[in-house]
Amino acid sequence: MSEGREVHLVVATVEERRESCERLLVAVAAGTRAPDLAHLVLDGYAGRPAPVAPSALRVREWRTERRLGPGGRWRVAREVPPGTVLVVVDDDVVAPPGLVAALAGAVGPWAAAGAQGVTWSGGRATSEAAAGEDLACAGACGFAVFAGDLDGLDELAAVVRAAGGFDPLGDLGDDEALVCAHLWRRGIRIAHVPVPGLRTASGTQEQSQTCRRLRRGESLDEQRRVVRAATGWPWVDARGR
């Protein structure tokens, strides 16, 4: 569905994951559909050197002086044409050759795509096999959407901040839940597009948002419940609640 449209890769990364980010960039550049442009959101990099990308890959850098969290990756949508397909990938994944092509190809009018996540019935959808239903919440390990479909995301983030006391686009914020609730409110489905071979690189999880939230004693569903209450998003957890 994305034929003839610009496809941009978006990767938020921190300095501790420089090596895994560089491996990711090499893999997507050599994939069956290389992105037309790669946006590197250099979280807390300040003036330090960015990860090295292959020469064939066009790169645009987005730097912050201090660590603000991966939610900053969504600001890219405000700076590109609305018909641009954004393929958002975590900096710690092993990317199979067909990752960008599979996700970008599933994006169309009223449709985004995710490789992993949670279905509307509360089941887990993996990158290995089709879930048989759309996703209620997709993970940013592999996600694709038209940039224009993210219009209004900042305003919804303000609603959630007022209701829950946390910033879903800030450090340790559940930006994935916010984006998925936003798309649901706009009537945009998230198709499950499994990409076999997509996985997390070994040795990269210690400083992940997930692990940091668990270490401070937070349930990973806690923020999603706040997003649900603030927006009406009918997500259910794995227990059907």
Side-chain angles (χ1 to χ4, degrees):
M1 292 183 187
S2 62
E3 186 176 353
R5 297 182 183 273
E6 286 272 313
V7 175
H8 292 190
L9 181 76
V10 181
V11 182
T13 189
V14 292
E15 194 169 24
E16 297 93 318
R17 290 183 174 175
R18 178 185 299 274
E19 290 185 6
S20 64
C21 183
E22 290 179 344
R23 289 194 297 268
L24 169 65
L25 296 175
V26 169
V28 296
T32 57
R33 201 310 184 187
D36 298 296
L37 179 66
H39 299 269
L40 287 184
V41 181
L42 303 172
D43 191 24
Y45 258 74
R48 291 183 287 273
V52 177
S55 59
L57 193 63
R58 293 175 54 222
V59 173
R60 180 178 179 185
E61 296 179 4
W62 305 73
R63 290 178 176 270
T64 63
E65 290 290 322
R66 60 185 180 86
R67 186 83 49 95
L68 300 178
R73 55 192 159 198
W74 305 105
R75 67 177 173 156
V76 171
R78 302 196 301 261
E79 306 297 331
V80 299
T84 305
V85 178
L86 300 180
V87 177
V88 180
V89 182
D90 283 340
D91 63 347
D92 63 342
V93 303
V94 175
L99 174 64
V100 173
L103 290 172
V107 174
W110 309 105
Q116 299 177 3
V118 179
T119 67
W120 287 110
S121 61
R124 175 159 178 74
T126 73
S127 62
E128 296 301 319
E133 60 178 305
D134 289 343
L135 301 179
C137 192
C141 56
F143 185 86
V145 63
F146 280 131
D149 287 340
L150 295 171
D151 286 350
L153 185 66
D154 290 332
E155 290 77 5
L156 190 62
V159 171
V160 173
R161 282 195 298 272
F166 69 92
D167 184 357
L169 294 178
D171 193 34
L172 299 181
D174 195 336
D175 59 307
E176 296 167 354
L178 179 76
V179 168
C180 294
H182 169 78
L183 294 178
W184 170 78
R185 284 164 61 96
R186 294 195 61 162
I188 298 165
R189 62 185 287 259
I190 305 174
H192 178 221
V193 181
V195 185
L198 177 65
R199 59 182 175 83
T200 301
S202 61
T204 61
Q205 287 297 291
E206 180 63 24
Q207 292 302 317
S208 70
Q209 296 274 294
T210 297
C211 288
R212 290 173 62 204
R213 287 169 62 189
L214 288 172
R215 283 199 296 270
R216 71 178 187 179
E218 179 185 333
S219 162
L220 295 183
D221 288 340
E222 186 175 328
Q223 291 189 33
R224 294 186 181 185
R225 294 191 180 100
V226 174
V227 172
R228 178 175 61 187
T231 66
W233 176 49
W235 160 85
V236 296
D237 63 22
R239 299 179 182 179
R241 300 186 298 183

